[in-house]
Amino acid sequence: MRIGTTLTNYIIQNQRHIDGATGEFTGLLNDIAVACKKIADLVNKGALVNVLGATDSQNVQGETQKKLDVISNELMIEALRHNGHIAALASEEMDSVYHLPANAPRGKYLLLCDPLDGSSNIDINVSVGTIFSILKAPEGVANPTEQDFLRPGTEQVAAGYCLYGPSTMLVLTTGNGVSMFTLDRDFGEFLLTENNVTIPAETKEFAINTSYQRFWDAPVRRYIDECLQGADGPRKKNFNMRWVASMVAEVHRILTRGGIFLYPCNSQLRAAGKTGKLRLMYEANPMAFIVEQAAGGAIDGQQRILDIAPDEIHQRIPVILGSRSEVELVQDYCRSGKA
Ligand code: AHM
Ligand code: MG
């Protein structure tokens, strides 16, 4: 598709090729884009509109919510609840599934989202993002339950994220490659700036929070240790390292120039009764879909993330994603359990 095409045009043109398309999917993506533009505006204005800092509430995961976490969640709901494009919504910031008002028309999609990912970066003016995942709703169910959301990532109809960085960018897959759109603030529209995004298979850059090093399992320790040995070690090349602490920014970097991102489980998380840090439904699945559509890999260590059958909506899992050959190497180490 032509570079410079608006997101709306892009979606309409893509939908023409889908049998039985009614325009509802176009409407849904437009709703999401509207919410993202509003969030982008607030992130951009920051302290000027008093949206920085924490609230005194916690989310279901026991994390203190930032003001912008709560506001972004409200903006997503506001953009979607009366338009008839979704049947229900689930969010990292809400304990349970959000049901539409009784009088609101029901659509045929389920939306899952992390309204503002990378919360620890909000107050320090570093990139944050919104992540979303779209599933088909079960037919004839007015108020879908949590059970209806528990589908493996392979069933996602679309997934994407909006990165609030120096530029605001919306990155989208509908299962037919990955496209990037940049927000033209004068124009108020997301315009296509890159099509058929492909992650290079090889890389020399890794991203992991090394402050947890003493809690890592042996396979992760081995992989990172070999990267750090650089040209003197078994990898025979020097590696660079990055850690933004915003998954959206890390994935965006990997889509742009390759790399591997690891947020493994570790003994500290396990001691706290957790199975990982990142959430399967709001973070891992949509990012895995995008990364795979860009020729990369995404695993939990042992298996492909998209194949995981979820047990519960706020489930956490280990995430390793990025350049395919690196992800496969980590998987080999994890499967053989070698130190
Ligand atoms: P959040 O959804 O509460 O913002 O947490 C998810 C974020 C990811 O974007 C990022 O990769 C990770 O948490 C950073 O965690 P840490 O501070 O442990 O390095
Ligand atoms: Mg998050």
Side-chain angles (χ1 to χ4, degrees):
M1 208 162 297
R2 194 173 52 81
I3 295 297
T5 302
T6 64
L7 174 64
T8 314
N9 260 337
Y10 173 95
I11 305 162
I12 291 171
Q13 287 182 41
N14 270 342
Q15 252 208 181
R16 286 212 185 102
H17 307 295
I18 304 170
D19 278 348
T22 58
E24 193 175 319
F25 184 63
T26 308
L28 169 55
L29 288 175
N30 262 327
D31 295 343
I32 295 169
V34 166
C36 289
K37 283 189 234 179
K38 289 186 176 173
I39 297 169
D41 186 49
L42 293 179
V43 169
N44 185 253
K45 291 194 171 114
L48 295 175
V49 287
N50 192 28
V51 292
L52 304 185
T55 65
D56 46 19
S57 59
Q58 291 194 335
N59 64 15
V60 66
Q61 349 251 337
E63 298 155 344
T64 301
Q65 290 176 303
K66 301 276 186 178
K67 283 188 202 167
L68 261 174
D69 284 327
V70 175
I71 296 169
S72 303
N73 192 57
E74 283 165 2
L75 287 171
M76 286 301 275
I77 293 174
E78 194 51 47
L80 285 151
R81 68 178 169 164
H82 282 297
N83 291 1
H85 302 141
I86 57 166
L89 180 153
S91 156
E92 186 179 307
E93 299 303 335
M94 291 186 292
D95 297 6
S96 49
V97 168
Y98 173 83
H99 295 296
L100 302 178
N103 61 347
R106 266 55 180 167
K108 59 182 175 206
Y109 297 102
L110 300 175
L111 181 78
L112 297 114
C113 66
D114 180 353
L116 205 73
D117 183 62
S119 305
S120 71
N121 283 325
I122 293 172
D123 296 344
I124 57 168
N125 198 10
V126 169
S127 298
V128 289
T130 297
I131 311 173
F132 60 90
S133 160
I134 299 170
L135 293 166
K136 276 260 173 69
E139 279 181 35
V141 179
N143 286 315
T145 62
E146 173 171 334
Q147 200 59 35
D148 295 316
F149 281 82
L150 300 182
R151 312 303 312 162
T154 46
E155 293 189 22
Q156 290 172 102
V157 178
Y161 64 78
C162 189
L163 170 64
Y164 311 111
S167 302
T168 294
M169 293 188 71
L170 195 143
V171 174
L172 177 70
T173 184
T174 55
N176 192 18
V178 177
S179 298
M180 293 184 172
F181 302 81
T182 305
L183 181 63
D184 183 325
R185 285 183 187 271
D186 298 332
F187 200 43
E189 288 274 9
F190 284 104
L191 305 181
L192 182 67
T193 42
E194 200 166 341
N195 236 336
N196 302 319
V197 175
T198 307
I199 301 173
E202 310 281 335
T203 184
K204 292 181 179 177
E205 196 162 66
F206 67 89
I208 190 167
N209 185 338
T210 52
S211 70
Y212 305 123
Q213 187 169 12
R214 68 191 190 283
F215 305 116
W216 290 344
D217 293 339
V220 173
R221 195 182 290 272
R222 175 186 179 191
Y223 174 75
I224 298 299
D225 190 47
E226 290 181 357
C227 291
L228 291 172
Q229 288 175 52
D232 303 330
R235 302 302 308 276
K236 297 190 169 31
K237 59 182 180 182
N238 292 326
F239 279 77
N240 188 20
M241 194 199 85
R242 287 288 184 274
W243 188 250
V244 186
S246 275
M247 191 192 194
V248 174
E250 319 274 10
V251 169
H252 195 74
R253 184 185 62 250
I254 289 170
L255 288 175
T256 306
R257 68 177 189 210
I260 182 169
F261 166 91
L262 303 95
Y263 208 121
C265 196
N266 62 47
S267 59
Q268 189 187 41
L269 287 167
R270 278 189 212 104
K274 293 180 179 160
T275 47
K277 153 113 196 234
L278 299 173
R279 271 82 12 161
L280 173 60
M281 307 297 289
Y282 316 112
E283 293 161 328
N285 266 342
M287 291 310 201
F289 191 19
I290 294 166
V291 165
E292 282 202 6
Q293 283 293 314
I299 58 168
D300 71 350
Q302 299 294 330
Q303 60 172 325
R304 186 181 175 222
I305 286 173
L306 295 181
D307 286 334
I308 296 173
D311 296 322
E312 56 117 356
I313 200 123
H314 296 300
Q315 185 172 342
R316 296 173 188 262
I317 61 157
V319 175
I320 295 138
L321 57 77
S323 296
R324 185 165 284 280
S325 59
E326 293 301 312
V327 172
E328 284 170 358
L329 182 60
V330 177
Q331 181 158 305
D332 282 351
Y333 289 1
C334 289
R335 283 186 175 166
S336 61
K338 282 182 202 151

